[in-house]
Each structure stands twice: as C-alpha cells, then as structure tokens.
C-alpha cells in the first residue's frame, strides 16, 4: 500500500492528509478470549464461518455473524470489526480449533 500511495504522490502530485492513528485506533483483539468464545460455537456454525471467511464471502460472513451475535454478542462484535477491516488472518486465527 505504501508503494502504491507513494507512486501516486510522486507521479500524480497528490498530497495526503493523515489522521492521528492513535486517536482512532481500535483496541487490539484479545485473541485468547475470542478463541475461547469461538470454541464453544455450535460445530455447524463454526464450520460455516470458517468456510465463508476462507472463501472471502463477505455477504455470507455478515449473515453468519448475525447468528453468532445471538449466541456470543461480544465475539460477533470482535469478528465484525475485523471483517470491516478485511482482517481475515486474525479471524481465521480466532476460529482455529486445536
């Protein structure tokens, strides 16, 4: 991303206004807590979530999060924030079962 924006700045002369990231940054997800909550989801829902995130199916992911919200609202909120940021790596780590 830095290279792309740097090239746009260099070749197109665009200028960027940066927001103070510390003022808007979300707190880091508690991976241990999120994984613990994900571990108790019903097997079918857990499997469907993994499939949706693996396939990058955004629509199905949001739909499944509605079901998660009924069982684990806090977990659904954590995952929704990561989905909004397209942070699929973190979501997959949360859903990993040992």
């Amino acid at each position: 991303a830095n290279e792309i924006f740097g090239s746009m700045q260099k070749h197109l002369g665009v200028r960027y206004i940066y927001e103070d990231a510390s003022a808007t940054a979300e707190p880091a997800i508690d991976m241990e807590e999120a994984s613990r909550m994900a571990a108790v989801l019903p097997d079918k829902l857990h499997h469907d979530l993994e499939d949706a995130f693996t396939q990058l199916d955004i629509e199905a992911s949001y739909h499944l999060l509605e079901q998660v919200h009924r069982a684990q609202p806090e977990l659904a909120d954590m995952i929704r924030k990561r989905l909004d940021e397209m942070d699929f790596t973190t979501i997959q780590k949360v859903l990993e079962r040992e």
Side-chain angles (χ1 to χ4, degrees), residues 52-90:
F53 292 127
T54 300
Q55 296 171 15
L56 305 178
D57 187 338
I58 305 298
E59 186 176 326
S61 298
Y62 280 114
H63 177 73
L64 290 165
L65 281 177
E66 291 174 17
Q67 295 176 42
V68 173
H69 192 269
R70 283 177 245 165
Q72 297 277 352
E74 188 177 352
L75 175 64
D77 291 342
M78 287 180 194
I79 293 175
R80 185 173 287 110
K81 287 178 185 175
R82 297 308 168 267
L83 183 57
D84 291 344
E85 296 170 356
M86 299 206 170
D87 183 0
F88 295 102
T89 302
T90 299

PDB file of all heavy atoms in Angstrom, residues 52-90:
ATOM      1  N   ALA A  52     -16.934 -19.441   5.035  1.00  0.00           N
ATOM      2  CA  ALA A  52     -17.232 -18.109   4.497  1.00  0.00           C
ATOM      3  C   ALA A  52     -15.989 -17.221   4.501  1.00  0.00           C
ATOM      4  O   ALA A  52     -15.711 -16.528   3.523  1.00  0.00           O
ATOM      5  CB  ALA A  52     -18.355 -17.464   5.302  1.00  0.00           C
ATOM      6  N   PHE A  53     -15.223 -17.261   5.592  1.00  0.00           N
ATOM      7  CA  PHE A  53     -14.025 -16.429   5.673  1.00  0.00           C
ATOM      8  C   PHE A  53     -12.926 -16.933   4.743  1.00  0.00           C
ATOM      9  O   PHE A  53     -12.214 -16.143   4.124  1.00  0.00           O
ATOM     10  CB  PHE A  53     -13.516 -16.326   7.112  1.00  0.00           C
ATOM     11  CG  PHE A  53     -14.444 -15.555   8.011  1.00  0.00           C
ATOM     12  CD1 PHE A  53     -14.895 -16.104   9.196  1.00  0.00           C
ATOM     13  CD2 PHE A  53     -14.879 -14.291   7.677  1.00  0.00           C
ATOM     14  CE1 PHE A  53     -15.754 -15.402  10.029  1.00  0.00           C
ATOM     15  CE2 PHE A  53     -15.744 -13.569   8.495  1.00  0.00           C
ATOM     16  CZ  PHE A  53     -16.179 -14.132   9.670  1.00  0.00           C
ATOM     17  N   THR A  54     -12.794 -18.254   4.629  1.00  0.00           N
ATOM     18  CA  THR A  54     -11.786 -18.823   3.737  1.00  0.00           C
ATOM     19  C   THR A  54     -12.075 -18.454   2.285  1.00  0.00           C
ATOM     20  O   THR A  54     -11.168 -18.171   1.512  1.00  0.00           O
ATOM     21  CB  THR A  54     -11.723 -20.353   3.898  1.00  0.00           C
ATOM     22  OG1 THR A  54     -11.389 -20.642   5.258  1.00  0.00           O
ATOM     23  CG2 THR A  54     -10.687 -20.975   2.978  1.00  0.00           C
ATOM     24  N   GLN A  55     -13.364 -18.460   1.935  1.00  0.00           N
ATOM     25  CA  GLN A  55     -13.766 -18.128   0.567  1.00  0.00           C
ATOM     26  C   GLN A  55     -13.904 -16.618   0.351  1.00  0.00           C
ATOM     27  O   GLN A  55     -14.255 -16.179  -0.738  1.00  0.00           O
ATOM     28  CB  GLN A  55     -15.084 -18.828   0.238  1.00  0.00           C
ATOM     29  CG  GLN A  55     -14.979 -20.325   0.243  1.00  0.00           C
ATOM     30  CD  GLN A  55     -16.325 -21.004   0.131  1.00  0.00           C
ATOM     31  OE1 GLN A  55     -17.334 -20.391  -0.222  1.00  0.00           O
ATOM     32  NE2 GLN A  55     -16.356 -22.284   0.430  1.00  0.00           N
ATOM     33  N   LEU A  56     -13.658 -15.846   1.407  1.00  0.00           N
ATOM     34  CA  LEU A  56     -13.787 -14.387   1.362  1.00  0.00           C
ATOM     35  C   LEU A  56     -15.182 -13.969   0.917  1.00  0.00           C
ATOM     36  O   LEU A  56     -15.361 -12.987   0.187  1.00  0.00           O
ATOM     37  CB  LEU A  56     -12.719 -13.757   0.455  1.00  0.00           C
ATOM     38  CG  LEU A  56     -11.268 -14.113   0.771  1.00  0.00           C
ATOM     39  CD1 LEU A  56     -10.331 -13.459  -0.219  1.00  0.00           C
ATOM     40  CD2 LEU A  56     -10.906 -13.739   2.192  1.00  0.00           C
ATOM     41  N   ASP A  57     -16.175 -14.721   1.366  1.00  0.00           N
ATOM     42  CA  ASP A  57     -17.575 -14.434   1.047  1.00  0.00           C
ATOM     43  C   ASP A  57     -18.108 -13.454   2.096  1.00  0.00           C
ATOM     44  O   ASP A  57     -18.583 -13.845   3.156  1.00  0.00           O
ATOM     45  CB  ASP A  57     -18.384 -15.736   1.051  1.00  0.00           C
ATOM     46  CG  ASP A  57     -19.805 -15.540   0.557  1.00  0.00           C
ATOM     47  OD1 ASP A  57     -20.310 -14.394   0.608  1.00  0.00           O
ATOM     48  OD2 ASP A  57     -20.414 -16.541   0.130  1.00  0.00           O
ATOM     49  N   ILE A  58     -18.018 -12.193   1.783  1.00  0.00           N
ATOM     50  CA  ILE A  58     -18.367 -11.130   2.718  1.00  0.00           C
ATOM     51  C   ILE A  58     -19.851 -11.192   3.095  1.00  0.00           C
ATOM     52  O   ILE A  58     -20.203 -11.098   4.270  1.00  0.00           O
ATOM     53  CB  ILE A  58     -18.036  -9.738   2.126  1.00  0.00           C
ATOM     54  CG1 ILE A  58     -16.569  -9.653   1.702  1.00  0.00           C
ATOM     55  CG2 ILE A  58     -18.391  -8.634   3.102  1.00  0.00           C
ATOM     56  CD1 ILE A  58     -15.588  -9.819   2.817  1.00  0.00           C
ATOM     57  N   GLU A  59     -20.704 -11.353   2.111  1.00  0.00           N
ATOM     58  CA  GLU A  59     -22.144 -11.376   2.374  1.00  0.00           C
ATOM     59  C   GLU A  59     -22.510 -12.530   3.314  1.00  0.00           C
ATOM     60  O   GLU A  59     -23.227 -12.335   4.297  1.00  0.00           O
ATOM     61  CB  GLU A  59     -22.912 -11.504   1.061  1.00  0.00           C
ATOM     62  CG  GLU A  59     -24.405 -11.389   1.219  1.00  0.00           C
ATOM     63  CD  GLU A  59     -25.126 -11.417  -0.115  1.00  0.00           C
ATOM     64  OE1 GLU A  59     -24.591 -10.904  -1.113  1.00  0.00           O
ATOM     65  OE2 GLU A  59     -26.247 -11.953  -0.144  1.00  0.00           O
ATOM     66  N   ALA A  60     -22.004 -13.716   3.030  1.00  0.00           N
ATOM     67  CA  ALA A  60     -22.282 -14.871   3.895  1.00  0.00           C
ATOM     68  C   ALA A  60     -21.687 -14.661   5.279  1.00  0.00           C
ATOM     69  O   ALA A  60     -22.290 -15.036   6.288  1.00  0.00           O
ATOM     70  CB  ALA A  60     -21.732 -16.150   3.261  1.00  0.00           C
ATOM     71  N   SER A  61     -20.512 -14.045   5.339  1.00  0.00           N
ATOM     72  CA  SER A  61     -19.858 -13.805   6.629  1.00  0.00           C
ATOM     73  C   SER A  61     -20.706 -12.910   7.518  1.00  0.00           C
ATOM     74  O   SER A  61     -20.914 -13.213   8.692  1.00  0.00           O
ATOM     75  CB  SER A  61     -18.481 -13.171   6.414  1.00  0.00           C
ATOM     76  OG  SER A  61     -17.638 -14.035   5.691  1.00  0.00           O
ATOM     77  N   TYR A  62     -21.211 -11.810   6.965  1.00  0.00           N
ATOM     78  CA  TYR A  62     -22.056 -10.914   7.754  1.00  0.00           C
ATOM     79  C   TYR A  62     -23.353 -11.616   8.174  1.00  0.00           C
ATOM     80  O   TYR A  62     -23.820 -11.441   9.294  1.00  0.00           O
ATOM     81  CB  TYR A  62     -22.373  -9.623   6.992  1.00  0.00           C
ATOM     82  CG  TYR A  62     -21.254  -8.612   7.035  1.00  0.00           C
ATOM     83  CD1 TYR A  62     -20.564  -8.245   5.880  1.00  0.00           C
ATOM     84  CD2 TYR A  62     -20.883  -8.006   8.230  1.00  0.00           C
ATOM     85  CE1 TYR A  62     -19.537  -7.313   5.923  1.00  0.00           C
ATOM     86  CE2 TYR A  62     -19.852  -7.069   8.278  1.00  0.00           C
ATOM     87  CZ  TYR A  62     -19.189  -6.733   7.119  1.00  0.00           C
ATOM     88  OH  TYR A  62     -18.171  -5.816   7.154  1.00  0.00           O
ATOM     89  N   HIS A  63     -23.908 -12.414   7.277  1.00  0.00           N
ATOM     90  CA  HIS A  63     -25.128 -13.155   7.608  1.00  0.00           C
ATOM     91  C   HIS A  63     -24.878 -14.120   8.762  1.00  0.00           C
ATOM     92  O   HIS A  63     -25.670 -14.211   9.706  1.00  0.00           O
ATOM     93  CB  HIS A  63     -25.637 -13.902   6.376  1.00  0.00           C
ATOM     94  CG  HIS A  63     -26.842 -14.734   6.648  1.00  0.00           C
ATOM     95  ND1 HIS A  63     -28.092 -14.196   6.854  1.00  0.00           N
ATOM     96  CD2 HIS A  63     -26.977 -16.077   6.775  1.00  0.00           C
ATOM     97  CE1 HIS A  63     -28.946 -15.171   7.097  1.00  0.00           C
ATOM     98  NE2 HIS A  63     -28.298 -16.323   7.055  1.00  0.00           N
ATOM     99  N   LEU A  64     -23.774 -14.845   8.709  1.00  0.00           N
ATOM    100  CA  LEU A  64     -23.433 -15.793   9.772  1.00  0.00           C
ATOM    101  C   LEU A  64     -23.142 -15.073  11.090  1.00  0.00           C
ATOM    102  O   LEU A  64     -23.422 -15.602  12.166  1.00  0.00           O
ATOM    103  CB  LEU A  64     -22.254 -16.661   9.350  1.00  0.00           C
ATOM    104  CG  LEU A  64     -22.584 -17.675   8.247  1.00  0.00           C
ATOM    105  CD1 LEU A  64     -21.307 -18.226   7.631  1.00  0.00           C
ATOM    106  CD2 LEU A  64     -23.455 -18.793   8.795  1.00  0.00           C
ATOM    107  N   LEU A  65     -22.574 -13.881  10.999  1.00  0.00           N
ATOM    108  CA  LEU A  65     -22.299 -13.121  12.226  1.00  0.00           C
ATOM    109  C   LEU A  65     -23.580 -12.751  12.968  1.00  0.00           C
ATOM    110  O   LEU A  65     -23.568 -12.605  14.191  1.00  0.00           O
ATOM    111  CB  LEU A  65     -21.478 -11.873  11.918  1.00  0.00           C
ATOM    112  CG  LEU A  65     -19.993 -12.120  11.705  1.00  0.00           C
ATOM    113  CD1 LEU A  65     -19.292 -10.817  11.327  1.00  0.00           C
ATOM    114  CD2 LEU A  65     -19.359 -12.729  12.930  1.00  0.00           C
ATOM    115  N   GLU A  66     -24.685 -12.641  12.243  1.00  0.00           N
ATOM    116  CA  GLU A  66     -25.967 -12.406  12.907  1.00  0.00           C
ATOM    117  C   GLU A  66     -26.306 -13.596  13.808  1.00  0.00           C
ATOM    118  O   GLU A  66     -26.806 -13.413  14.918  1.00  0.00           O
ATOM    119  CB  GLU A  66     -27.069 -12.177  11.872  1.00  0.00           C
ATOM    120  CG  GLU A  66     -26.930 -10.880  11.113  1.00  0.00           C
ATOM    121  CD  GLU A  66     -27.944 -10.750   9.992  1.00  0.00           C
ATOM    122  OE1 GLU A  66     -28.958 -11.483   9.983  1.00  0.00           O
ATOM    123  OE2 GLU A  66     -27.716  -9.912   9.108  1.00  0.00           O
ATOM    124  N   GLN A  67     -26.020 -14.798  13.340  1.00  0.00           N
ATOM    125  CA  GLN A  67     -26.259 -15.997  14.143  1.00  0.00           C
ATOM    126  C   GLN A  67     -25.298 -16.051  15.322  1.00  0.00           C
ATOM    127  O   GLN A  67     -25.685 -16.424  16.429  1.00  0.00           O
ATOM    128  CB  GLN A  67     -26.112 -17.249  13.291  1.00  0.00           C
ATOM    129  CG  GLN A  67     -27.148 -17.366  12.191  1.00  0.00           C
ATOM    130  CD  GLN A  67     -26.899 -18.568  11.322  1.00  0.00           C
ATOM    131  OE1 GLN A  67     -26.580 -19.643  11.814  1.00  0.00           O
ATOM    132  NE2 GLN A  67     -27.044 -18.387  10.018  1.00  0.00           N
ATOM    133  N   VAL A  68     -24.063 -15.680  15.094  1.00  0.00           N
ATOM    134  CA  VAL A  68     -23.075 -15.659  16.177  1.00  0.00           C
ATOM    135  C   VAL A  68     -23.515 -14.659  17.240  1.00  0.00           C
ATOM    136  O   VAL A  68     -23.389 -14.919  18.434  1.00  0.00           O
ATOM    137  CB  VAL A  68     -21.660 -15.301  15.647  1.00  0.00           C
ATOM    138  CG1 VAL A  68     -20.684 -15.122  16.787  1.00  0.00           C
ATOM    139  CG2 VAL A  68     -21.162 -16.368  14.680  1.00  0.00           C
ATOM    140  N   HIS A  69     -24.046 -13.540  16.802  1.00  0.00           N
ATOM    141  CA  HIS A  69     -24.457 -12.483  17.734  1.00  0.00           C
ATOM    142  C   HIS A  69     -25.500 -12.991  18.727  1.00  0.00           C
ATOM    143  O   HIS A  69     -25.489 -12.599  19.890  1.00  0.00           O
ATOM    144  CB  HIS A  69     -24.978 -11.267  16.975  1.00  0.00           C
ATOM    145  CG  HIS A  69     -25.129 -10.066  17.841  1.00  0.00           C
ATOM    146  ND1 HIS A  69     -26.295  -9.771  18.493  1.00  0.00           N
ATOM    147  CD2 HIS A  69     -24.248  -9.099  18.197  1.00  0.00           C
ATOM    148  CE1 HIS A  69     -26.138  -8.671  19.204  1.00  0.00           C
ATOM    149  NE2 HIS A  69     -24.902  -8.243  19.040  1.00  0.00           N
ATOM    150  N   ARG A  70     -26.370 -13.876  18.277  1.00  0.00           N
ATOM    151  CA  ARG A  70     -27.390 -14.423  19.188  1.00  0.00           C
ATOM    152  C   ARG A  70     -26.767 -15.276  20.287  1.00  0.00           C
ATOM    153  O   ARG A  70     -27.248 -15.284  21.414  1.00  0.00           O
ATOM    154  CB  ARG A  70     -28.409 -15.241  18.413  1.00  0.00           C
ATOM    155  CG  ARG A  70     -29.393 -14.354  17.679  1.00  0.00           C
ATOM    156  CD  ARG A  70     -30.339 -15.160  16.868  1.00  0.00           C
ATOM    157  NE  ARG A  70     -30.002 -14.773  15.497  1.00  0.00           N
ATOM    158  CZ  ARG A  70     -30.357 -15.394  14.408  1.00  0.00           C
ATOM    159  NH1 ARG A  70     -31.076 -16.443  14.468  1.00  0.00           N
ATOM    160  NH2 ARG A  70     -29.997 -14.957  13.237  1.00  0.00           N
ATOM    161  N   ALA A  71     -25.697 -15.989  19.954  1.00  0.00           N
ATOM    162  CA  ALA A  71     -25.056 -16.873  20.930  1.00  0.00           C
ATOM    163  C   ALA A  71     -23.926 -16.182  21.689  1.00  0.00           C
ATOM    164  O   ALA A  71     -23.752 -16.386  22.887  1.00  0.00           O
ATOM    165  CB  ALA A  71     -24.508 -18.117  20.217  1.00  0.00           C
ATOM    166  N   GLN A  72     -23.134 -15.390  20.982  1.00  0.00           N
ATOM    167  CA  GLN A  72     -21.942 -14.747  21.550  1.00  0.00           C
ATOM    168  C   GLN A  72     -21.834 -13.311  21.017  1.00  0.00           C
ATOM    169  O   GLN A  72     -21.036 -13.030  20.121  1.00  0.00           O
ATOM    170  CB  GLN A  72     -20.676 -15.525  21.144  1.00  0.00           C
ATOM    171  CG  GLN A  72     -20.594 -16.928  21.652  1.00  0.00           C
ATOM    172  CD  GLN A  72     -20.051 -16.960  23.071  1.00  0.00           C
ATOM    173  OE1 GLN A  72     -19.613 -15.942  23.600  1.00  0.00           O
ATOM    174  NE2 GLN A  72     -20.090 -18.112  23.681  1.00  0.00           N
ATOM    175  N   PRO A  73     -22.611 -12.363  21.562  1.00  0.00           N
ATOM    176  CA  PRO A  73     -22.590 -10.994  21.019  1.00  0.00           C
ATOM    177  C   PRO A  73     -21.213 -10.341  21.036  1.00  0.00           C
ATOM    178  O   PRO A  73     -20.841  -9.646  20.100  1.00  0.00           O
ATOM    179  CB  PRO A  73     -23.570 -10.225  21.896  1.00  0.00           C
ATOM    180  CG  PRO A  73     -24.160 -11.191  22.855  1.00  0.00           C
ATOM    181  CD  PRO A  73     -23.533 -12.515  22.666  1.00  0.00           C
ATOM    182  N   GLU A  74     -20.460 -10.584  22.090  1.00  0.00           N
ATOM    183  CA  GLU A  74     -19.131  -9.967  22.177  1.00  0.00           C
ATOM    184  C   GLU A  74     -18.209 -10.504  21.086  1.00  0.00           C
ATOM    185  O   GLU A  74     -17.475  -9.752  20.448  1.00  0.00           O
ATOM    186  CB  GLU A  74     -18.530 -10.220  23.563  1.00  0.00           C
ATOM    187  CG  GLU A  74     -17.254  -9.449  23.802  1.00  0.00           C
ATOM    188  CD  GLU A  74     -16.709  -9.650  25.212  1.00  0.00           C
ATOM    189  OE1 GLU A  74     -17.391 -10.260  26.068  1.00  0.00           O
ATOM    190  OE2 GLU A  74     -15.587  -9.191  25.452  1.00  0.00           O
ATOM    191  N   LEU A  75     -18.261 -11.809  20.865  1.00  0.00           N
ATOM    192  CA  LEU A  75     -17.450 -12.421  19.809  1.00  0.00           C
ATOM    193  C   LEU A  75     -17.867 -11.879  18.445  1.00  0.00           C
ATOM    194  O   LEU A  75     -17.011 -11.541  17.615  1.00  0.00           O
ATOM    195  CB  LEU A  75     -17.582 -13.944  19.842  1.00  0.00           C
ATOM    196  CG  LEU A  75     -16.885 -14.698  18.708  1.00  0.00           C
ATOM    197  CD1 LEU A  75     -15.371 -14.492  18.776  1.00  0.00           C
ATOM    198  CD2 LEU A  75     -17.232 -16.171  18.762  1.00  0.00           C
ATOM    199  N   ALA A  76     -19.166 -11.783  18.215  1.00  0.00           N
ATOM    200  CA  ALA A  76     -19.654 -11.266  16.937  1.00  0.00           C
ATOM    201  C   ALA A  76     -19.140  -9.852  16.691  1.00  0.00           C
ATOM    202  O   ALA A  76     -18.724  -9.519  15.575  1.00  0.00           O
ATOM    203  CB  ALA A  76     -21.180 -11.294  16.911  1.00  0.00           C
ATOM    204  N   ASP A  77     -19.127  -9.026  17.728  1.00  0.00           N
ATOM    205  CA  ASP A  77     -18.617  -7.655  17.588  1.00  0.00           C
ATOM    206  C   ASP A  77     -17.126  -7.645  17.264  1.00  0.00           C
ATOM    207  O   ASP A  77     -16.668  -6.870  16.421  1.00  0.00           O
ATOM    208  CB  ASP A  77     -18.888  -6.840  18.853  1.00  0.00           C
ATOM    209  CG  ASP A  77     -20.363  -6.551  19.058  1.00  0.00           C
ATOM    210  OD1 ASP A  77     -21.146  -6.666  18.090  1.00  0.00           O
ATOM    211  OD2 ASP A  77     -20.739  -6.205  20.199  1.00  0.00           O
ATOM    212  N   MET A  78     -16.373  -8.514  17.941  1.00  0.00           N
ATOM    213  CA  MET A  78     -14.925  -8.596  17.672  1.00  0.00           C
ATOM    214  C   MET A  78     -14.674  -8.993  16.223  1.00  0.00           C
ATOM    215  O   MET A  78     -13.843  -8.383  15.536  1.00  0.00           O
ATOM    216  CB  MET A  78     -14.270  -9.640  18.581  1.00  0.00           C
ATOM    217  CG  MET A  78     -14.124  -9.249  20.007  1.00  0.00           C
ATOM    218  SD  MET A  78     -13.321 -10.633  20.874  1.00  0.00           S
ATOM    219  CE  MET A  78     -13.606 -10.178  22.571  1.00  0.00           C
ATOM    220  N   ILE A  79     -15.378 -10.022  15.768  1.00  0.00           N
ATOM    221  CA  ILE A  79     -15.167 -10.510  14.401  1.00  0.00           C
ATOM    222  C   ILE A  79     -15.665  -9.492  13.385  1.00  0.00           C
ATOM    223  O   ILE A  79     -15.020  -9.266  12.360  1.00  0.00           O
ATOM    224  CB  ILE A  79     -15.846 -11.884  14.208  1.00  0.00           C
ATOM    225  CG1 ILE A  79     -15.143 -12.940  15.067  1.00  0.00           C
ATOM    226  CG2 ILE A  79     -15.818 -12.289  12.745  1.00  0.00           C
ATOM    227  CD1 ILE A  79     -15.798 -14.308  15.047  1.00  0.00           C
ATOM    228  N   ARG A  80     -16.797  -8.855  13.655  1.00  0.00           N
ATOM    229  CA  ARG A  80     -17.345  -7.862  12.722  1.00  0.00           C
ATOM    230  C   ARG A  80     -16.352  -6.723  12.498  1.00  0.00           C
ATOM    231  O   ARG A  80     -16.151  -6.270  11.366  1.00  0.00           O
ATOM    232  CB  ARG A  80     -18.676  -7.311  13.234  1.00  0.00           C
ATOM    233  CG  ARG A  80     -19.332  -6.359  12.232  1.00  0.00           C
ATOM    234  CD  ARG A  80     -20.731  -5.935  12.643  1.00  0.00           C
ATOM    235  NE  ARG A  80     -21.651  -7.056  12.462  1.00  0.00           N
ATOM    236  CZ  ARG A  80     -22.235  -7.744  13.458  1.00  0.00           C
ATOM    237  NH1 ARG A  80     -22.016  -7.410  14.714  1.00  0.00           N
ATOM    238  NH2 ARG A  80     -23.053  -8.732  13.217  1.00  0.00           N
ATOM    239  N   LYS A  81     -15.703  -6.268  13.558  1.00  0.00           N
ATOM    240  CA  LYS A  81     -14.707  -5.196  13.400  1.00  0.00           C
ATOM    241  C   LYS A  81     -13.569  -5.652  12.491  1.00  0.00           C
ATOM    242  O   LYS A  81     -13.088  -4.895  11.648  1.00  0.00           O
ATOM    243  CB  LYS A  81     -14.156  -4.773  14.761  1.00  0.00           C
ATOM    244  CG  LYS A  81     -15.137  -3.968  15.568  1.00  0.00           C
ATOM    245  CD  LYS A  81     -14.575  -3.600  16.922  1.00  0.00           C
ATOM    246  CE  LYS A  81     -15.633  -2.902  17.752  1.00  0.00           C
ATOM    247  NZ  LYS A  81     -15.184  -2.626  19.110  1.00  0.00           N
ATOM    248  N   ARG A  82     -13.133  -6.892  12.674  1.00  0.00           N
ATOM    249  CA  ARG A  82     -12.051  -7.409  11.840  1.00  0.00           C
ATOM    250  C   ARG A  82     -12.525  -7.611  10.402  1.00  0.00           C
ATOM    251  O   ARG A  82     -11.785  -7.375   9.458  1.00  0.00           O
ATOM    252  CB  ARG A  82     -11.494  -8.723  12.398  1.00  0.00           C
ATOM    253  CG  ARG A  82     -10.851  -8.590  13.782  1.00  0.00           C
ATOM    254  CD  ARG A  82      -9.812  -7.463  13.777  1.00  0.00           C
ATOM    255  NE  ARG A  82      -9.351  -7.070  15.084  1.00  0.00           N
ATOM    256  CZ  ARG A  82      -9.870  -6.084  15.827  1.00  0.00           C
ATOM    257  NH1 ARG A  82     -10.926  -5.432  15.447  1.00  0.00           N
ATOM    258  NH2 ARG A  82      -9.333  -5.748  16.977  1.00  0.00           N
ATOM    259  N   LEU A  83     -13.769  -8.030  10.231  1.00  0.00           N
ATOM    260  CA  LEU A  83     -14.322  -8.195   8.891  1.00  0.00           C
ATOM    261  C   LEU A  83     -14.449  -6.844   8.198  1.00  0.00           C
ATOM    262  O   LEU A  83     -14.122  -6.718   7.012  1.00  0.00           O
ATOM    263  CB  LEU A  83     -15.684  -8.896   8.971  1.00  0.00           C
ATOM    264  CG  LEU A  83     -16.376  -9.204   7.652  1.00  0.00           C
ATOM    265  CD1 LEU A  83     -15.487 -10.062   6.749  1.00  0.00           C
ATOM    266  CD2 LEU A  83     -17.698  -9.913   7.903  1.00  0.00           C
ATOM    267  N   ASP A  84     -14.879  -5.823   8.929  1.00  0.00           N
ATOM    268  CA  ASP A  84     -14.961  -4.472   8.360  1.00  0.00           C
ATOM    269  C   ASP A  84     -13.590  -4.004   7.871  1.00  0.00           C
ATOM    270  O   ASP A  84     -13.492  -3.267   6.896  1.00  0.00           O
ATOM    271  CB  ASP A  84     -15.502  -3.477   9.390  1.00  0.00           C
ATOM    272  CG  ASP A  84     -16.973  -3.692   9.722  1.00  0.00           C
ATOM    273  OD1 ASP A  84     -17.663  -4.401   8.968  1.00  0.00           O
ATOM    274  OD2 ASP A  84     -17.421  -3.143  10.757  1.00  0.00           O
ATOM    275  N   GLU A  85     -12.534  -4.442   8.561  1.00  0.00           N
ATOM    276  CA  GLU A  85     -11.159  -4.080   8.196  1.00  0.00           C
ATOM    277  C   GLU A  85     -10.559  -5.077   7.206  1.00  0.00           C
ATOM    278  O   GLU A  85      -9.408  -4.937   6.803  1.00  0.00           O
ATOM    279  CB  GLU A  85     -10.289  -4.031   9.448  1.00  0.00           C
ATOM    280  CG  GLU A  85     -10.707  -2.969  10.430  1.00  0.00           C
ATOM    281  CD  GLU A  85     -10.001  -3.087  11.775  1.00  0.00           C
ATOM    282  OE1 GLU A  85      -9.235  -4.053  11.981  1.00  0.00           O
ATOM    283  OE2 GLU A  85     -10.222  -2.210  12.622  1.00  0.00           O
ATOM    284  N   MET A  86     -11.340  -6.104   6.851  1.00  0.00           N
ATOM    285  CA  MET A  86     -10.888  -7.189   5.970  1.00  0.00           C
ATOM    286  C   MET A  86      -9.647  -7.871   6.521  1.00  0.00           C
ATOM    287  O   MET A  86      -8.733  -8.248   5.787  1.00  0.00           O
ATOM    288  CB  MET A  86     -10.686  -6.693   4.547  1.00  0.00           C
ATOM    289  CG  MET A  86     -11.944  -6.162   3.937  1.00  0.00           C
ATOM    290  SD  MET A  86     -11.902  -6.278   2.180  1.00  0.00           S
ATOM    291  CE  MET A  86     -13.580  -5.877   1.787  1.00  0.00           C
ATOM    292  N   ASP A  87      -9.627  -8.048   7.817  1.00  0.00           N
ATOM    293  CA  ASP A  87      -8.521  -8.709   8.515  1.00  0.00           C
ATOM    294  C   ASP A  87      -8.846 -10.196   8.665  1.00  0.00           C
ATOM    295  O   ASP A  87      -9.142 -10.687   9.744  1.00  0.00           O
ATOM    296  CB  ASP A  87      -8.308  -8.046   9.877  1.00  0.00           C
ATOM    297  CG  ASP A  87      -7.139  -8.622  10.647  1.00  0.00           C
ATOM    298  OD1 ASP A  87      -6.470  -9.544  10.132  1.00  0.00           O
ATOM    299  OD2 ASP A  87      -6.895  -8.154  11.771  1.00  0.00           O
ATOM    300  N   PHE A  88      -8.794 -10.909   7.544  1.00  0.00           N
ATOM    301  CA  PHE A  88      -9.180 -12.310   7.529  1.00  0.00           C
ATOM    302  C   PHE A  88      -8.175 -13.197   8.262  1.00  0.00           C
ATOM    303  O   PHE A  88      -8.542 -14.231   8.805  1.00  0.00           O
ATOM    304  CB  PHE A  88      -9.361 -12.798   6.090  1.00  0.00           C
ATOM    305  CG  PHE A  88     -10.501 -12.101   5.402  1.00  0.00           C
ATOM    306  CD1 PHE A  88     -10.260 -11.074   4.510  1.00  0.00           C
ATOM    307  CD2 PHE A  88     -11.808 -12.460   5.666  1.00  0.00           C
ATOM    308  CE1 PHE A  88     -11.308 -10.421   3.890  1.00  0.00           C
ATOM    309  CE2 PHE A  88     -12.865 -11.807   5.040  1.00  0.00           C
ATOM    310  CZ  PHE A  88     -12.613 -10.782   4.149  1.00  0.00           C
ATOM    311  N   THR A  89      -6.933 -12.793   8.303  1.00  0.00           N
ATOM    312  CA  THR A  89      -5.917 -13.569   9.011  1.00  0.00           C
ATOM    313  C   THR A  89      -6.259 -13.669  10.492  1.00  0.00           C
ATOM    314  O   THR A  89      -6.224 -14.759  11.069  1.00  0.00           O
ATOM    315  CB  THR A  89      -4.528 -12.934   8.825  1.00  0.00           C
ATOM    316  OG1 THR A  89      -4.239 -12.866   7.424  1.00  0.00           O
ATOM    317  CG2 THR A  89      -3.455 -13.746   9.513  1.00  0.00           C
ATOM    318  N   THR A  90      -6.604 -12.557  11.107  1.00  0.00           N
ATOM    319  CA  THR A  90      -6.966 -12.563  12.524  1.00  0.00           C
ATOM    320  C   THR A  90      -8.223 -13.393  12.748  1.00  0.00           C
ATOM    321  O   THR A  90      -8.299 -14.178  13.695  1.00  0.00           O
ATOM    322  CB  THR A  90      -7.165 -11.134  13.050  1.00  0.00           C
ATOM    323  OG1 THR A  90      -5.930 -10.422  12.910  1.00  0.00           O
ATOM    324  CG2 THR A  90      -7.586 -11.126  14.506  1.00  0.00           C
TER     325      THR A  90
END
